[in-house]
Amino acid sequence: MRTHSAVRARHPVELDGDGPALSGRCREIAILLHAFHWDTPFELYAHRRAGLAAGLSGAEIDRLASRLPPPRLSTQELTVFGTVTAVLDRRHLDRAERAAALGILGHRGFRELVTLLGHDELGAEDHLDPAPHGGVEVARGRVIAPRSPRRRSRSSR
């Protein structure tokens, strides 16, 4: 399994040999939004520097701290901003938000985004399974996407 430096200290991201699905700016936007939301001093210190190295300006980072999207974001960056803030604010992505994120980021990008936010925060085991109403539910900081009801085994019938 290969990892990239933006998340090496947090959680490794399996990259299937193709490199990261998200740009460095996208990764840092996600991590900084999360760090500002939870007010995590070390993460803020480290990722302000990493954000600058990834091409974010100080003014863009200040706007992220205020929960405002920086001007001139790419479509992918704006999707990351909207997805992360929706999850942090409402603990929920509705069907349209999930479809939009998957359409722009793809499965690899969406998986990477969830992993960047951390297994502790969002949980990764079921994050791509839709909830019964087509959305993705988040409870206690973890994505809950109920699986289909388990069929009873023949021996229990």
Side-chain angles (χ1 to χ4, degrees):
M1 174 167 34
R2 292 174 40 203
T3 62
H4 54 86
S5 61
V7 295
R8 184 169 286 141
R10 302 179 53 158
H11 299 285
V13 177
E14 189 170 331
L15 301 174
D16 302 326
D18 293 329
L22 300 175
S23 71
R25 282 177 53 96
C26 284
R27 290 190 305 273
E28 292 307 321
I29 288 168
I31 294 168
L32 284 165
L33 284 169
H34 183 265
F36 285 124
H37 180 82
W38 293 110
D39 193 22
T40 54
F42 178 76
E43 194 172 37
L44 287 169
Y45 166 77
H47 285 281
R48 281 180 191 268
R49 294 179 61 168
L52 292 169
L56 292 170
S57 69
E60 288 175 314
I61 293 172
D62 290 342
R63 285 188 61 92
L64 292 174
S66 300
R67 304 286 299 263
L68 299 170
R72 295 182 296 280
L73 291 180
S74 71
T75 302
Q76 191 180 50
E77 292 165 352
L78 194 55
T79 300
V80 166
F81 180 91
T83 302
V84 171
T85 55
V87 168
L88 291 174
D89 290 348
R90 298 189 330 265
R91 297 180 175 261
H92 175 81
L93 291 178
D94 64 27
R95 178 180 287 174
E97 290 167 327
R98 180 180 182 275
L102 284 168
I104 292 169
L105 304 176
H107 276 282
R108 283 185 62 238
F110 189 76
R111 182 182 313 272
E112 185 176 340
L113 180 59
V114 170
T115 303
L116 280 172
L117 295 176
H119 291 272
D120 297 336
E121 183 59 30
L122 290 177
E125 59 274 0
D126 291 335
H127 69 277
L128 292 176
D129 293 337
H133 54 76
V136 175
E137 302 267 351
V138 182
R140 294 185 186 185
R142 297 187 62 95
V143 170
I144 306 299
R147 298 173 193 244
S148 301
R150 296 194 189 269
R151 292 184 180 164
R152 295 186 317 180
S153 68
R154 288 193 167 120
S155 63
S156 64
R157 287 186 192 167

